[in-house]
Amino acid sequence: MLERIKYLTEEISNLKADLPGDVEQLRLKYLSKKGLISVLFDEFRNVPAEQKKEMGLLLNHLKNAAQLKIENLKSAFEGNKEANDESADLSLPVDHMAPGTRHPLSIVRNEIIRIFGQIGYTVAEGPEIEDDWHNFSALNFPPEHPARDMQDTFFIARDPEILLRTHTSSVQIRTMETEQPPIRKIFPGRVFRNEAISARAHCIFHQVEGLYVDKNVSFMDLKQTLLYFAREMFGESTEIRLRPSFFPFTEPSGELDVSCNICGGKGCNICKYTGWVEILGCGMVDPAVLDNCGIDSTIYTGFAFGMGIERVTLLKYQVRDLRLFFENDLRFLKQFTGTI
Ligand code: DAH
């Protein structure tokens, strides 16, 4: 009897069923009243008293194992019921997943690309890990120049030539090094600065740079281009003003303010009660920068501008804290349903 218990224990652990009906056959074979295991229980009555304990344990173990096995085989088929059920229509369309929404910074970046695309600007990109030449030196920031202090960034300790770009102006240099005018391009991308994170500043943010170099490009072209952009982005009634400023790579340089579209120019806490909000830096490309890139500054002139996408988005959607853009909170992100 001991031999038969061992044999059946082994056999049951290897049981398989190809069809649901097989499982029932197996249950009958082992566990029904006349099944192999029930027969062993009948015989158990005749087992000598001194073997009863050990044999009883083995026999109960066998019965439990068989019940468990049959249950498992049965539920494997139930799990697959739909696949085996020929009445199920497998050609029915599946439930659709809810579509996501674009990130507000992507919506605004795409809108900027669209607006400049309408007046002939194409898009190019450059690397986020830059060298000193493209981020600073070629743009007229000599080593030790105080203008570098305003754009402190993340350097690599082993190699001070390599850094995370502080602005997309580096892509102006990369473009002019490889192309001759006419150049009319915008460069969107991510930039990095060593800044304390607050409602108005972050160590990672996004810019779109613009560059137009050709014969006879003047400040008038710059101003008209920026007016066109501001009205496309913020509405027909938007006004602009240019304030003189300084950037090493443009001469003259300016900063562009747009009339505050939140209070309509009356004054609010977004525009700090001035009615104006700054959105970008700009100017005429310094002749030394053209020469650094192999473009003849006696023949060509150009203008450039660089804007913060976060700043434009804050204004366009009246968002009060820039950190929201990086927190991935769905309650915030679901509110933007732009399609481009
Ligand atoms: N790169 C400047 C910054 O990040 C912005 C800027 C100013 C870009 C003037 C330009 C420009 O192209 O002409 O602060």
Side-chain angles (χ1 to χ4, degrees):
M1 184 167 170
L2 190 58
E3 282 309 305
R4 269 191 294 152
I5 293 177
K6 280 187 184 161
Y7 178 81
L8 285 180
T9 307
E10 172 82 19
E11 187 173 87
I12 280 168
S13 73
N14 292 323
L15 286 183
K16 289 194 176 60
D18 292 328
L19 296 167
D22 294 351
V23 185
E24 183 55 14
Q25 288 301 321
L26 293 171
R27 193 190 66 75
L28 290 173
K29 176 174 173 191
Y30 294 103
L31 294 169
S32 64
K33 269 206 180 120
K34 295 212 169 109
L36 293 173
I37 294 175
S38 311
V39 171
L40 286 175
F41 272 95
D42 288 343
E43 289 178 19
F44 179 68
R45 282 188 226 116
N46 307 325
V47 168
E50 66 276 14
Q51 290 177 19
K52 267 210 150 89
K53 195 171 169 204
E54 186 197 5
M55 205 69 89
L57 276 172
L58 288 173
L59 203 50
N60 274 321
H61 177 260
L62 172 65
K63 187 177 168 192
N64 289 339
Q67 279 169 340
L68 190 68
K69 186 79 188 185
I70 304 269
E71 274 313 307
N72 286 344
L73 289 173
K74 220 194 233 167
S75 52
F77 281 109
E78 273 160 14
N80 274 336
K81 210 174 185 172
E82 267 174 45
N84 291 313
D85 179 356
E86 285 176 10
S87 66
D89 182 355
L90 300 179
S91 68
L92 280 175
V94 293
D95 287 344
H96 284 291
M97 278 186 2
T101 54
R102 280 210 198 283
H103 193 280
L105 295 177
S106 300
I107 295 173
V108 170
R109 183 201 53 213
N110 292 351
E111 178 70 357
I112 296 170
I113 292 172
R114 184 193 67 77
I115 292 171
F116 282 101
Q118 284 185 335
I119 53 170
Y121 283 73
T122 55
V123 179
E125 287 180 320
E128 291 173 357
I129 301 172
E130 257 305 358
D131 51 38
D132 183 282
W133 169 255
H134 291 96
N135 197 80
F136 289 127
S137 298
L139 287 159
N140 257 351
F141 292 80
E144 313 303 332
H145 192 285
R148 287 194 179 207
D149 290 351
M150 284 164 53
Q151 301 198 8
D152 187 20
T153 183
F154 303 93
F155 290 86
I156 291 173
R158 264 184 299 124
D159 185 352
E161 288 296 309
I162 306 293
L163 48 93
L164 291 181
R165 68 177 178 194
T166 57
H167 50 184
T168 43
S169 303
S170 54
V171 197
Q172 285 188 37
I173 302 300
R174 290 190 173 272
T175 303
M176 290 192 287
E177 279 176 341
T178 52
E179 289 173 39
Q180 284 295 311
I183 297 170
R184 200 190 282 146
K185 292 197 166 177
I186 52 171
F187 316 118
R190 194 157 45 166
V191 301
F192 308 84
R193 289 197 198 169
N194 184 8
E195 295 268 355
I197 295 171
S198 71
R200 294 174 61 86
H202 209 287
C203 57
I204 301 174
F205 56 103
H206 300 79
Q207 291 187 333
V208 177
E209 191 86 8
L211 176 69
Y212 180 26
V213 186
D214 204 349
K215 287 176 187 155
N216 300 320
V217 176
S218 74
F219 202 91
M220 194 172 62
D221 300 309
L222 170 60
K223 197 171 170 189
Q224 197 58 37
T225 303
L226 296 179
L227 179 64
Y228 157 76
F229 167 72
R231 291 192 168 163
E232 283 283 313
M233 181 56 91
F234 299 111
E236 269 303 299
S237 55
T238 307
E239 295 297 337
I240 62 165
R241 76 175 184 188
L242 276 159
R243 280 178 291 106
S245 184
F246 171 77
F247 298 101
F249 44 96
T250 42
E251 182 61 37
S253 304
E255 263 157 306
L256 181 83
D257 295 343
V258 293
S259 51
C260 180
N261 76 332
I262 294 175
C263 63
K266 285 194 210 78
C268 65
N269 63 349
I270 297 286
C271 61
K272 294 195 217 124
Y273 299 95
T274 64
W276 297 95
V277 191
E278 180 197 320
I279 61 160
L280 57 80
C282 60
M284 300 306 293
V285 182
D286 193 305
V289 174
L290 295 174
D291 292 335
N292 281 341
C293 302
I295 290 179
D296 189 340
S297 62
T298 62
I299 302 175
Y300 295 107
T301 51
F303 66 71
F305 56 86
M307 72 182 94
I309 303 183
E310 279 78 0
R311 178 62 70 86
V312 175
T313 312
L314 289 180
L315 197 57
K316 192 169 169 70
Y317 290 114
Q318 307 177 13
V319 178
R320 273 155 211 276
D321 192 324
L322 181 144
R323 287 169 288 199
L324 286 164
F325 294 137
F326 300 99
E327 283 169 358
N328 283 340
D329 185 335
L330 285 179
R331 290 168 301 180
F332 172 69
L333 296 175
K334 273 183 176 168
Q335 298 174 47
F336 302 89
T337 52
T339 50
I340 57 167

